[in-house]
Structures are given as structure tokens and as C-alpha cells.
Amino acid sequence: MPTLPASSSLVSEKPPAAGQYALLRGVPLFTALDDAAMDELFGYLHPVELKAGSSLFRVGDAGDAMYIIERGHVRITVTDADGREVILASLGHGDFFGEMSRLEPNVDAYP
């Protein structure tokens, strides 16, 4: 599970729900898994809810989790040299991000 800073806007951690199994099945990385492997993967879920507008991680934070969006929207942004926010991606239900930190042994921080 990712380590969120003490000042994070984490609202709550909650147990996985049945609908999240279907959400996992929709992730292309997991479509070839058999039911036993999917059940094992499901056991690693740690659902969290964040307040709108909060930051999940920042550039340079340890890359220790993969995130799948069950509800709501996520914007992946960076700040350019002029201090402006640049939107790299807008994600919604079923989209995922952060997977490279779990799959690539040399990726240990968010770029």
C-alpha cells in the first residue's frame, strides 16, 4: 500500500468491494490472469478515497503503488518552468496509472 504523507487528504481506507473485481478484470495488464491469480491479486487491493483537489503524490515521491480509478477523475499534472500547471493526462473510471513503479525494477520514483 502506498505511504501517504501525514498531511495527505486521505478520507478513509475501506475494504475492497465486489465491483472492484470487475474493475481489475478491465485492466489490460490483468485480462490474461486466471481466476486463482485474479483472486490473489484482489487480496492486494487497498482502496482509498481522496478529497477532490488533493494530491496523491508529487514528482520524486517513491513509486510504490498502482492506482485504478473506481469513481471520479484524476488529472496527472506537472508544473512547467514558468510555474504553470500542465495537464499530462485526464483519467476516469477504469483507467489506471503508477503501474510502471510496480513492474519495472529501476523505476522507484514518479518522474
Side-chain angles (χ1 to χ4, degrees):
M1 181 170 146
T3 304
L4 295 172
S7 63
S8 77
S9 298
L10 181 66
V11 174
S12 64
E13 185 170 336
K14 57 184 185 173
Q20 292 164 347
Y21 190 87
L23 192 64
L24 276 179
R25 281 274 180 215
V27 174
L29 291 170
F30 307 138
T31 55
L33 296 179
D34 62 22
D35 288 343
M38 189 61 73
D39 287 341
E40 182 176 346
L41 180 62
F42 191 74
Y44 289 101
L45 289 183
H46 297 282
V48 294
E49 286 187 16
L50 297 175
K51 291 181 183 176
S54 63
S55 294
L56 187 56
F57 54 82
R58 299 192 186 286
V59 171
D61 285 354
D64 62 354
M66 176 182 174
Y67 301 93
I68 305 170
I69 303 168
E70 179 181 16
R71 185 176 66 241
H73 298 279
V74 170
R75 287 185 323 179
I76 308 292
T77 64
V78 295
T79 303
D80 69 11
D82 295 325
R84 293 178 296 211
E85 181 180 76
V86 177
I87 299 172
L88 302 177
S90 293
L91 308 171
H93 176 78
D95 291 330
F96 58 95
F97 59 99
E99 73 281 0
M100 294 311 295
S101 69
R102 304 310 308 152
L103 300 176
E104 294 287 332
N106 296 326
V107 177
D108 57 0
Y110 295 104

